[in-house]
Amino acid sequence: TKDDLIVRSLEHTGEWAWDEAFFVSSLLTNGARLLDAGAFVGTFGLGVAMNKRLSRLCAIEANSLVFPMLESNLERHSKTHTVLMHALLAGSNSEPRAGRADSSNLGSASFAANATGDAAIPSPPAVITLGAVRAKYGPFDLIKLDLEGMEREVLEADAEFLKGAGTTLWLECIESTHSLD
């Protein structure tokens, strides 16, 4: 809809999140490994990969409604070794769960316990922790989390490792006071 933040940005500037991807890529060296969790349709990971030669791009997306678009975008545009996971990145002992989204913004899909929105999002086929992803595909030089309110849960489950990892974290802060926690 015309009120959607992403639509307004696209109409005004012709792009969404290029400045973010450009800035974040400046923090990396060529050969970096990137985890893009909450990858949506892949614009962040692909944008970073346009600015830095990545040795690995690992993209995780739980939203079944956008996952096919992510898969298509990465297949068509990624020039780096890419790992794609259709899963919910969550904390320890989490179970698959359905999500909610604002029907005018599929990027708002949240699987957090307090998720709201008028559209139901099906439960993803798998749940995985940050530690499990790192053990299989990491370590990562940059971890981007855009998990619509689940960032803290994910980070707490892997806090001991992250304390000394030297990994750069790029976290979304949604427009809610609970996000500041």
Side-chain angles (χ1 to χ4, degrees), residues 64-81:
S64 299
L65 302 177
V66 299
F67 187 81
M69 290 179 272
L70 170 63
E71 187 174 36
S72 175
N73 282 341
L74 293 178
E75 284 176 4
R76 289 186 358 229
H77 302 295
S78 182
K79 294 178 177 29
T80 189
H81 175 68

Side-chain angles (χ1 to χ4, degrees), residues 66-165:
V66 299
F67 187 81
M69 290 179 272
L70 170 63
E71 187 174 36
S72 175
N73 282 341
L74 293 178
E75 284 176 4
R76 289 186 358 229
H77 302 295
S78 182
K79 294 178 177 29
T80 189
H81 175 68
T82 303
V83 174
L84 181 60
M85 299 176 69
H86 186 188
L88 175 63
L89 185 64
S92 301
N93 303 316
S94 292
E95 298 291 324
R97 54 188 177 222
R100 305 292 307 171
D102 177 347
S103 59
S104 66
N105 179 3
L106 286 177
S108 70
S110 176
F111 295 84
N114 60 351
T116 60
D118 59 334
I121 306 295
S123 179
V127 176
I128 193 161
T129 65
L130 186 54
V133 173
R134 185 187 69 256
K136 190 166 184 176
Y137 301 111
F140 298 101
D141 299 295
L142 176 78
I143 296 173
K144 177 266 208 168
L145 300 179
D146 184 350
L147 304 174
E148 301 297 322
M150 291 183 57
E151 293 82 6
R152 183 179 182 138
E153 172 186 334
V154 168
L155 292 171
E156 284 180 339
D158 204 30
E160 284 306 309
F161 176 82
L162 291 171
K163 284 180 186 177

Side-chain angles (χ1 to χ4, degrees), residues 15-29 34 36 39 42-54 57 142 144 170:
E15 66 88 22
W16 171 249
W18 174 251
D19 289 338
E20 177 185 28
F22 184 77
F23 169 75
V24 171
S25 67
S26 75
L27 304 173
L28 300 173
T29 59
L34 168 63
D36 184 359
T43 53
F44 179 84
L46 289 168
V48 171
M50 288 177 70
N51 291 292
K52 290 293 179 185
R53 183 181 36 80
L54 301 176
L57 168 59
L142 176 78
K144 177 266 208 168
W170 187 254

Side-chain angles (χ1 to χ4, degrees), residues 161-174:
F161 176 82
L162 291 171
K163 284 180 186 177
T167 301
T168 300
L169 300 174
W170 187 254
L171 308 175
E172 178 199 40
C173 184
I174 60 174

